[in-house]
Amino acid sequence: MASLRILYSAAVIAQTVARLGQELNRDYGAVTEPVVLLVVLKGALVFAADLIRQLHFPCEIACIQASSYRQGTSPDALQVSEMADLTGRTVIVLEDIVDTGLTLQRILSGLSARSVQVCTLLDKPHRRRVAVPIHYRGLVLIEDEFIVGYGLDYAERYRELPDIAVLVPSSLPNEEERSA
Ligand code: 5GP
């Protein structure tokens, strides 16, 4: 069993998504050709659904499925689905969270678009194993915590939570238990 501790409330997430939307509108507001939002499934689904409704420029949606945390909190073998041909397109990759950077690195290496920028809701910079570019960044995690909610899962659970929460294994004593 595990318990949840809210890290970012739905209100904080909404503010962050609104800010990212403003940044994208500032930089892409003048485009004439539709921009492709490449959504990294499944984690970025909820983020993408909220973000796209903040955008005031023409866009299309494309999806790619990546899985590295298939059963739990430890990285498993990375699998990335086949990508649509985005040659010559202007692409914004929408990620839920950049952790080691390996997923993003793989996705970027398979893209031959005219221009590619990366927008992530969450970033864990201290966990990075490869350098990847991030142009639009929402919230930065300082602690090494495994989070769920707002599309992020643990073994496919908790995606429906409106907040982002830290999954606390119940084997770890909480503050009260420690001082008891
Ligand atoms: P990376 O390849 O950067 O190590 O991992 C990227 C993917 O790992 C993310 O898209 C996300 O699916 C998963 N991931 C990384 N950290 C977390 C986390 O704290 N919680 C959850 N639920 N998934 C995570």
Side-chain angles (χ1 to χ4, degrees):
M1 279 293 289
S3 59
L4 297 171
R5 171 171 57 81
I6 292 180
L7 186 62
Y8 299 117
S9 66
V12 168
I13 298 167
Q15 279 168 14
T16 305
V17 174
R19 196 240 309 151
L20 290 171
Q22 283 167 8
E23 291 176 18
L24 290 167
N25 286 328
R26 177 197 64 205
D27 296 347
Y28 288 86
V31 296
T32 48
E33 294 291 313
V35 173
V36 179
L37 302 177
L38 182 60
V39 183
V40 184
L41 299 176
K42 301 175 193 169
L45 183 67
V46 178
F47 169 48
D50 283 345
L51 182 69
I52 195 170
R53 286 175 286 169
Q54 305 280 334
L55 303 181
H56 305 312
F57 53 86
C59 26
E60 296 174 11
I61 295 177
C63 295
I64 186 167
Q65 176 125 23
S67 50
S68 56
Y69 287 81
R70 285 173 297 166
Q71 291 303 324
T73 59
S74 310
D76 209 331
L78 175 60
Q79 296 187 332
V80 177
S81 67
E82 209 171 307
M83 224 177 310
D85 181 10
L86 299 174
T87 309
R89 304 297 305 270
T90 299
V91 175
I92 304 172
V93 178
L94 295 186
E95 262 281 26
D96 53 351
I97 183 165
V98 180
D99 183 33
T100 62
L102 291 168
T103 305
L104 191 54
Q105 183 190 52
R106 171 82 75 85
I107 291 169
L108 294 175
S109 71
L111 275 175
S112 57
R114 183 174 57 182
S115 127
V116 183
Q117 295 210 302
V118 175
C119 174
T120 186
L121 177 63
L122 295 142
D123 186 15
K124 284 182 173 175
H126 57 282
R127 296 253 312 160
R128 205 73 90 246
R129 283 168 51 191
V130 289
V132 281
I134 297 181
H135 306 90
Y136 304 91
R137 181 183 281 107
L139 300 158
V140 178
L141 278 94
I142 311 296
E143 306 280 329
D144 189 4
E145 293 169 313
F146 191 81
I147 54 175
V148 295
Y150 196 70
L152 290 145
D153 76 312
Y154 170 71
E156 293 301 327
R157 291 279 322 278
Y158 308 113
R159 292 193 198 274
E160 74 281 9
L161 299 178
D163 309 301
I164 291 174
V166 177
L167 197 62
V168 187
S170 57
S171 53
L172 295 177
N174 60 33
E175 283 307 315
E176 253 178 6
E177 288 165 338
R178 272 184 207 160
S179 54

